[in-house]
Amino acid sequence: MKRTWIASAVITGLLLAALPLSYQLWPARTPVAAAVDAGQRIGGPFELRDPSGRAVTHESFDGQWLLVFFGFTRCADICPTTLMQVAKVLDGMGEQGDWLQPLFISLDPDRDTPEVLAAYTTFFDERILGLTGTSEQIQQVADAYAVYFRKVPMGDTYMLDHTGAVYLMNPQGELASLIPLRTAPTDAIREISTALAQSRDG
């Protein structure tokens, strides 16, 4: 247990130490906001891997409210900022926060292994579940959520350009709300609480 904790701390430290440099190098510092066309179906079947390496599918979250965000651990600004906002939302919602399962789905499966994701997401909040998979699995779930992403070569490495937003999915697997990046936690809490209340009233 102690050895695992030390390894996680080292990985997290290395990731955070790289953020300032990554921010300077990344040409797309502000991802394009995700857009959903009227009547567009968002969400659908997927199979990914959780931090323990176990298979996770859409059916694993049947009956749950989800906060879904796509990104990658080497993201310089938007991803860590958004995950901090998600953590604040969970805390600010009190007991209602227990009704939400936040998912951070990596768009960089080549580098974001389950171990890396585990160290990264728990740094922000232990309730955030990091998911990864094969390139094909990631492309499938990204398509299902209308997420655009592409590799941006940076010498002998690369960064990712991608759209971004937080998807609030209801227990039926349907999009309840698309929360834009940079939304203040208080505004996000209000929007999520309204969606939960409308669901109960319905």
Side-chain angles (χ1 to χ4, degrees):
M1 178 68 70
K2 183 177 181 181
R3 186 174 302 174
T4 301
W5 181 88
I6 293 174
S8 298
V10 170
I11 292 173
T12 302
L14 291 174
L15 288 169
L16 295 177
L19 291 181
L21 177 60
S22 299
Y23 180 80
Q24 295 299 321
L25 293 178
W26 189 27
R29 297 179 185 174
T30 304
V32 178
V36 177
D37 296 329
Q40 182 176 0
R41 165 69 179 173
I42 294 297
F46 64 81
E47 181 175 343
L48 299 169
R49 296 283 173 180
D50 71 9
S52 67
R54 291 176 299 189
V56 173
T57 74
H58 57 289
E59 294 178 341
S60 303
F61 306 104
D62 278 352
Q64 290 183 267
W65 285 86
L66 302 178
L67 283 177
V68 184
F69 177 61
F70 292 80
F72 62 114
T73 63
R74 302 195 186 198
C75 177
D77 179 24
I78 297 300
C79 298
T81 299
T82 301
L83 291 176
M84 284 190 288
Q85 298 290 70
V86 168
K88 290 179 180 179
V89 167
L90 293 175
D91 289 338
M93 293 194 68
E95 292 183 358
Q96 277 190 322
D98 296 336
W99 301 352
L100 301 172
Q101 174 58 65
L103 302 180
F104 177 67
I105 300 178
S106 174
L107 297 171
D108 190 11
D110 293 336
R111 298 183 296 194
D112 289 346
T113 63
E115 294 78 14
V116 168
L117 277 175
Y120 186 75
T121 56
T122 54
F123 175 81
F124 299 98
D125 195 295
E126 292 184 352
R127 292 169 288 186
I128 300 174
L129 181 63
L131 300 178
T132 187
T134 65
S135 296
E136 292 76 15
Q137 289 171 331
I138 296 301
Q139 187 64 62
Q140 177 184 357
V141 69
D143 289 343
Y145 281 81
V147 172
Y148 157 82
F149 70 101
R150 70 180 180 90
K151 288 184 178 180
V152 180
M154 301 294 297
D156 59 353
T157 186
Y158 63 89
M159 298 300 283
L160 291 182
D161 187 9
H162 64 95
T163 54
V166 177
Y167 301 78
L168 175 64
M169 308 297 292
N170 68 23
Q172 291 73 47
E174 301 166 337
L175 179 67
S177 181
L178 187 66
I179 304 173
L181 300 176
R182 307 294 193 188
T183 298
T186 52
D187 294 333
I189 290 171
R190 186 181 306 111
E191 187 166 345
I192 294 170
S193 296
T194 298
L196 294 178
Q198 290 175 344
S199 175
R200 291 197 301 272
D201 294 341

